Amino acid sequence: MFNKIEEAYNRRDLTALDALAVPTFRQINKKNNFKSVLMLSCNNLKHLSKIESLEADCIMLNLEDGVSKEDKPFALVLAAIFLSRLTKSDKKLVVRVNALEAGGYDEITYLNQFMPDAIRVPKIKNSDEVKNILALLHEDVDLHLSIETAESWHNLSNLALNKRVSVFYLGVLDLFADMGLSQSLIHVQNPTMKYMLAHFLMSTKAVHVKPVSFVFQEFQDLETFQEWLSLEKEMGYDAKACISPKQVALVNKMFMNKEDEMKRAKIIVKLFEMHRDEGITGFVDEEYGFIDEPIYKGALKLLQK
């Protein structure tokens, strides 16, 4: 199947690719206890093929920034294909569509039949837009919103129209640009940043929505990334957006619930050893996802500590 997907994509044959996108019932993952959110561009087949083995709790299937205009139709169909392949996942699978005025409504309509766990809408402005999206979106699919416009910031407490609006993501770069603020303000000690993080956290929690902190673009600067994580944990955050596996590892470690991690590790060790006795060293568990020898060894190491 993957070879057919790759061949159609490499030929730039959208019709052949679309024929591989077969709507399939998915078991929606309603859990919102994720810590790490990893952005994957849906025009990158190599990355999409690794979804099950990634350490991130939430996978953001991205159709917006980083996907060229020419690639967007292909990215949309690829998102649908991989959703149909992953009928059940312990990872939260969220699709970030394009802005509503840039094709977002049409993308939501198309994706309804493939039932992602949630749709994330960028550049949201007001509750009227939220109302329109909810009327269009499949009733079993949650709605996540990017808070990255001045208008959405102003309307922050009025956007959660019902329980399906469950997660807000802070988009600092676009928000600062829309407000006319310099990006030079974005550093750990800046009082404006600390106010913004605190206000976003409290306003979001007050309407019973999960707040996810912003993407730190300098993905190779892990030292500064760690400083942001320490500040955010101290403030009360428990989730952050990421753009690299190394960022994901740091987020998972910082926001780890030790009791839950120990319980998970014990179950993974038990499951792996049961399967290994039957000659199986790689399998997918309904609750804990893909488990192989490296994951087993990681669980053992955690228990030994």
Side-chain angles (χ1 to χ4, degrees):
M1 175 65 169
F2 183 79
N3 289 338
K4 290 182 179 180
I5 297 169
E6 190 174 33
E7 288 172 9
Y9 181 65
N10 290 337
R11 293 199 315 267
R12 310 297 286 173
D13 189 340
L14 188 58
T15 301
L17 204 59
D18 190 53
L20 299 173
V22 180
T24 306
F25 175 81
R26 290 192 70 250
Q27 184 170 328
I28 299 293
N29 181 349
K30 287 290 186 181
K31 295 179 182 178
N32 278 331
N33 60 345
F34 56 85
K35 304 177 291 293
S36 51
V37 181
L38 181 61
M39 190 76 69
L40 292 186
S41 291
C42 284
N43 59 339
N44 191 319
L45 271 176
K46 181 181 177 181
H47 291 172
L48 291 173
S49 67
K50 295 180 178 179
I51 287 175
E52 290 177 278
S53 62
L54 294 170
E55 292 184 10
D57 304 319
C58 176
I59 303 298
M60 190 62 58
L61 299 169
N62 178 41
L63 305 178
E64 196 206 9
D65 295 342
V67 180
S68 68
K69 184 178 179 180
E70 294 74 24
D71 250 6
K72 286 186 187 294
F74 293 93
L76 176 62
V77 177
L78 286 171
I81 289 173
F82 279 88
L83 284 169
S84 66
R85 285 162 59 93
L86 297 166
T87 55
K88 184 178 181 180
S89 177
D90 64 325
K91 302 180 189 303
K92 191 88 169 177
L93 300 181
V94 182
V95 181
R96 182 170 78 163
V97 298
N98 285 280
L100 297 176
E101 64 274 13
Y105 283 122
D106 291 336
E107 290 168 347
I108 292 169
T109 301
Y110 174 77
L111 289 167
N112 270 338
Q113 60 190 319
F114 298 96
M115 298 179 68
D117 297 328
I119 289 287
R120 174 179 170 183
V121 178
K123 310 295 189 296
I124 200 73
K125 297 183 182 69
N126 53 57
S127 59
D128 287 339
E129 289 182 339
V130 176
K131 190 181 300 182
N132 291 338
I133 297 165
L134 289 171
L136 178 65
L137 187 62
H138 190 292
E139 62 182 5
D140 292 330
V141 177
D142 280 354
L143 176 58
H144 295 185
L145 303 176
S146 295
I147 307 303
E148 53 190 352
T149 65
E151 194 171 346
S152 66
W153 183 265
H154 179 72
N155 293 318
L156 193 54
S157 61
N158 301 317
L159 298 175
L161 297 185
N162 62 34
K163 291 182 179 180
R164 291 171 63 199
V165 183
S166 55
V167 181
F168 289 168
Y169 302 82
L170 180 60
V172 167
L173 294 179
D174 286 326
L175 184 57
F176 269 38
D178 203 32
M179 290 182 171
L181 293 170
S182 171
Q183 291 185 11
S184 66
L185 299 176
I186 305 174
H187 60 83
V188 176
Q189 299 302 326
N190 183 271
T192 301
M193 277 302 303
K194 289 183 177 180
Y195 165 76
M196 176 172 283
L197 285 168
H199 180 83
F200 179 71
L201 176 76
M202 297 301 288
S203 298
T204 302
K205 288 279 192 179
V207 292
H208 308 291
V209 170
K210 181 182 181 72
V212 177
S213 192
F214 68 98
V215 168
F216 181 66
Q217 297 286 345
E218 304 298 328
F219 65 92
Q220 293 181 327
D221 184 359
L222 296 178
E223 184 178 347
T224 304
F225 185 76
Q226 184 71 51
E227 291 177 7
W228 281 114
L229 281 178
S230 297
L231 173 64
E232 289 158 355
K233 182 176 182 179
E234 185 178 9
M235 284 184 155
Y237 282 91
D238 61 8
K240 188 169 179 67
C242 306
I243 54 174
S244 77
K246 288 184 178 180
Q247 287 186 341
V248 166
L250 289 174
V251 169
N252 287 345
K253 183 177 180 180
M254 177 62 72
F255 295 138
M256 177 177 62
N257 181 311
K258 291 184 180 180
E259 186 177 331
D260 289 346
E261 288 298 314
M262 292 295 286
K263 180 181 176 182
R264 177 185 176 89
K266 288 177 182 178
I267 294 173
I268 286 174
V269 167
K270 184 177 179 180
L271 287 171
F272 182 85
E273 291 176 350
M274 286 172 56
H275 281 79
R276 186 180 59 188
D277 291 344
E278 298 176 1
I280 301 169
T281 56
F283 57 93
V284 177
D285 179 74
E286 287 189 359
E287 184 172 355
Y288 294 95
F290 181 72
I291 299 173
D292 61 2
E293 190 165 353
I295 291 173
Y296 165 70
K297 288 181 177 178
L300 272 181
K301 188 175 181 181
L302 179 64
L303 293 174
Q304 289 166 359
K305 287 182 180 180

